[in-house]
Amino acid sequence: MKPATAAKKLGVYLPATPAEFQEGVVSRAELNELQADPPQWLRELRQNGPHPRPVVAAKLGVSIAGLARGGVTEALTTEQIDALKQERPEWLEKERATQVEVRKEAVRIKNLKQEKADRED
């Protein structure tokens, strides 16, 4: 698979990976080995970053679109993410509240569908 696909599956930011990873092709077996026994560079990236946007969004408790609305378009390190959590900017609080509402709505819809399915049985 392409390095970008492998990086996505590993949850790391491709430009921060070693050159040999970026330039090569990753087999399914190699990906499984990286997941089962991550080398030091992979452990370091997962712990300290920079992290790709999906990971940043998850760590902040917001959506990827919420990151963009907040002006975060680049990969962030764990230190930068922690600083944002400490600062609690207005956009972050608003996006977190939005995410809570989105999750509540998803649960409500799931419950409605389940109730409808139960009535049809």
Side-chain angles (χ1 to χ4, degrees):
M1 70 186 70
K2 294 179 182 178
T5 304
K8 187 175 184 178
K9 289 181 181 290
L10 292 169
V12 295
Y13 185 57
L14 180 61
T17 61
E20 59 270 9
F21 180 85
Q22 293 179 39
E23 295 164 1
V25 174
V26 180
S27 70
R28 175 63 62 188
E30 289 169 327
L31 179 67
N32 291 340
E33 178 64 27
L34 287 170
Q35 290 172 327
D37 186 23
Q40 180 61 36
W41 66 264
L42 182 53
R43 288 193 300 271
E44 181 73 23
L45 276 178
R46 286 178 169 167
Q47 183 175 3
N48 300 318
H51 303 287
R53 289 182 305 150
V55 174
V56 173
K59 286 179 179 269
L60 290 174
V62 300
S63 66
I64 295 173
L67 284 178
R69 286 189 292 269
V72 178
T73 57
E74 298 296 319
L76 298 180
T77 64
T78 301
E79 186 177 306
Q80 292 169 314
I81 293 168
D82 291 342
L84 274 173
K85 287 179 180 178
Q86 291 293 326
E87 293 168 13
R88 300 176 71 118
E90 185 178 327
W91 71 265
L92 180 57
E93 294 302 310
K94 180 181 175 190
E95 291 300 332
R96 281 181 167 172
T98 299
Q99 194 68 10
V100 167
E101 292 303 316
V102 166
R103 288 185 181 129
K104 282 182 187 176
E105 182 65 8
V107 168
R108 186 185 74 79
I109 290 170
K110 180 180 176 184
N111 289 339
L112 282 174
K113 286 181 179 180
Q114 184 61 49
E115 288 173 13
K116 183 178 178 183
D118 289 347
R119 279 181 278 168
E120 290 177 355
D121 286 342

